[in-house]
Amino acid sequence: MTEIHPTAIVEDGAVIGEGVRIGPYSTVGPNVKLAVGVTLESHVVVTGHTSVGPNSHIFPFASIGHKPQDLKFSGEVTYLEIGANNQIREHATMSPGTEGGGGVTRVGNNCLFMMGTHVGHDCLVGDYAILANNATLAGHVELADHVILGGLSAIRQWSRIGTGAIVGGMTGVEFDVIPFGSVIGDRARLAGLNLIGLKRKGFPREQIHALRAAYRELFESDEGTLRSRAEALAAGQPDQPLVKVVTDFILEKEDRRFCTPRSDD
């Protein structure tokens, strides 16, 4: 059964699914949709044109769906779409999109947003992402599936973080991070591959070995540009799936900058 605490405020127009639990002093705005099994603990605010997917769990003092932190925003209708089975912990904040960024912020399924994390306007977050305490995404960031952000890390606006990548704690990311990459530093540098993550996901050893060889060709060679090296790898190893993920990411968009190893590493 749906449970709404007497001190909670659910405004007319809100759509509340079966089995939703809304705790003390929480507020739900008139354009909010809470799917089946959503739980809001005490003192949660969900507002704006926000939808929360089935069985997601939002903890005290989270602020979800308030207008974006963008001075160009002038009150237009934009959206925040949160998927299923997410855990959004204390003091986390998520913003809807802006007209200039496509109008929607999307969060996938099965993610964990720890205390004090922030998802800025127009971000696209994939499935199984983990943001440790106080990790922050500026506007227009793209986070692919299975990305891990360490505590107090910060991702600059318009950056892309590829699938399976890991960002170390207190790292500031200014440029794109390749899939399965591992970056660290006050200004992020590529420190290698997320080998532990690859092994945990059960990728075959031969695929990991091929990816390690491709990494060396991409980042330890002085021949040509990163893009030209990626083009050569894509042509030479079309049947290596992990290598293809990385080369597709590099070649997907023109004029992108990437986190690379520091010259003295």
Side-chain angles (χ1 to χ4, degrees):
M1 293 180 60
T2 298
E3 299 179 20
I4 301 176
H5 193 274
T7 61
I9 298 174
V10 178
E11 297 191 45
D12 292 342
V15 177
I16 308 300
E18 293 183 2
V20 168
R21 186 169 67 86
I22 301 176
Y25 303 104
S26 290
T27 63
V28 178
N31 299 303
V32 170
K33 298 179 181 179
L34 303 180
V36 173
V38 168
T39 296
L40 309 184
E41 298 289 354
S42 68
H43 301 87
V44 172
V45 177
V46 185
T47 189
H49 290 76
T50 297
S51 59
V52 182
N55 301 311
S56 289
H57 193 162
I58 306 180
F59 287 76
F61 302 105
S63 178
I64 308 299
H66 273 292
K67 71 178 185 178
Q69 300 175 113
D70 185 338
L71 293 176
K72 299 185 296 297
F73 183 77
S74 57
E76 61 268 21
V77 174
T78 58
Y79 299 89
L80 170 60
E81 300 174 357
I82 300 171
N85 304 311
N86 291 296
Q87 293 190 55
I88 302 171
R89 297 303 305 249
E90 297 81 357
H91 299 279
T93 56
M94 295 185 179
S95 302
T98 63
E99 186 175 32
V104 61
T105 301
R106 288 194 179 93
V107 172
N109 306 312
N110 303 294
C111 299
L112 170 59
F113 299 88
M114 296 187 195
M115 183 194 72
T117 50
H118 174 66
V119 176
H121 60 83
D122 304 294
C123 286
L124 304 176
V125 179
D127 299 335
Y128 297 98
I130 298 176
L131 278 67
N133 296 333
N134 296 296
T136 58
L137 307 182
H140 312 280
V141 170
E142 296 181 24
L143 230 62
D145 297 345
H146 298 285
V147 167
I148 299 175
L149 303 185
L152 296 164
S153 59
I155 313 301
R156 194 185 71 167
Q157 64 267 26
W158 300 103
S159 297
R160 299 182 302 153
I161 311 296
T163 185
I166 185 167
V167 175
M170 297 185 288
T171 295
V173 177
E174 297 179 296
F175 308 121
D176 292 357
V177 178
I178 62 167
F180 316 114
S182 172
V183 295
I184 58 173
D186 58 348
R187 288 296 181 265
R189 70 182 192 277
L190 191 61
L193 294 168
N194 183 13
L195 295 174
I196 293 175
L198 288 163
K199 292 173 182 177
R200 285 177 176 171
K201 295 296 184 299
F203 287 109
R205 180 176 296 180
E206 60 271 17
Q207 291 185 20
I208 296 176
H209 286 173
L211 180 60
R212 295 180 72 176
Y215 178 91
R216 290 192 291 271
E217 291 188 42
L218 286 169
F219 297 106
E220 297 178 10
S221 171
D222 295 327
E223 296 184 7
T225 64
L226 177 62
R227 187 173 186 86
S228 67
R229 296 193 293 270
E231 288 171 344
L233 274 171
Q237 299 190 42
D239 299 325
Q240 283 293 341
L242 296 183
V243 176
K244 186 177 188 311
V245 170
V246 174
T247 56
D248 284 353
F249 183 85
I250 293 172
L251 299 173
E252 179 182 359
K253 297 183 179 182
E254 298 275 359
D255 300 322
R256 301 295 299 183
R257 297 185 67 181
F258 296 86
C259 292
T260 58
R262 197 167 59 191
S263 58
D264 58 353
D265 282 352

